[in-house]
Amino acid sequence: MLLMALGSSRPAHAQSSLQAQVGLWSLQAEGTLSVGSDGSAGTEIDVEDDLGYDSAEQVWQASAQIGVTHQLDLSYLSMEASADAVMARTIDFGEFSYSAESKVHSELQGDLLGIGYRYAGGLDAWKSGFLAGLQLASFEVEASASGVGKGRGDVAAIIPVVGVFAEWQPAVFLSLGGSLSGGAWDWQETSVTYLDAEVSARVLLFPFFAGLGYRHLAVQGDDTSLPMEVDLTFSGPTWFAGLMF
């Protein structure tokens, strides 16, 4: 997603031409996926109930905005999670079939790299605007069991993204904000839709800031070449800190 540094990042008397932040997202994965092989669909799998993704995963993320009113927006997120579960039923995954009572180890990996234009207008205490850009997204899932083998599926897309945001600074040392962005890609064998929402509060101690928030990311996608289908959401609190100049 195109991550936005939420809230005014400067004292009332100054303009900041660079904001950069790093943060930690404690996300919970929910939803379903399936991975087939040679044109045959795989079993629809619930990532919590079937694969055991029932605890939060810690993910690092980073973003930067360069400019005052007209900004270059950059963001990056890399996600990696794994789980072990005993199958309650037979599951077809890729070219393999995992029978009931077998122990399956799975891994989820995803990368989001965003670049775009961000317009920020308004007064010192209240700003709002929009963004437009591209999101380079990739998602990969693997599953394996002893004596059976490892199945794998992946989907990747370059997604045009648009979004809006608003920021309110009720005091020199505090800002509140929210953002919403999304996009879709449908080309040849791959189709992906993407929605990202976030709210946050920041303490401003120029040139530093720190804060917390909540982020919700939803991804739906399919690749008919396997075929593979993904319908997942990732939600949870965020903590972050950064610099402004």
Side-chain angles (χ1 to χ4, degrees), residues 191-229:
S191 175
V192 178
T193 60
Y194 162 95
L195 181 67
D196 198 350
E198 187 172 5
V199 294
S200 72
R202 301 195 306 172
V203 175
L204 309 172
L205 301 172
F206 191 81
F208 305 103
F209 63 86
L212 54 85
Y214 190 87
R215 184 179 180 187
H216 175 83
L217 173 65
V219 178
Q220 290 184 315
D222 65 79
D223 187 330
T224 58
S225 63
L226 286 173
M228 175 179 175
E229 293 188 5

Side-chain angles (χ1 to χ4, degrees), residues 33 45-53 81-94 96-108 141-152:
L33 58 85
I45 303 169
D46 187 287
V47 295
E48 289 185 288
D49 296 339
D50 294 320
L51 296 183
Y53 289 88
S82 63
D84 295 285
V86 177
M87 297 296 97
R89 57 193 172 107
T90 298
I91 287 177
D92 295 322
F93 188 100
F96 300 102
S97 182
Y98 305 109
S99 61
E101 304 302 324
S102 62
K103 184 177 181 180
V104 172
H105 174 79
S106 63
E107 297 182 0
L108 300 177
V141 57
E142 294 182 349
S144 60
S146 178
V148 180
K150 178 184 291 186
R152 176 183 176 275

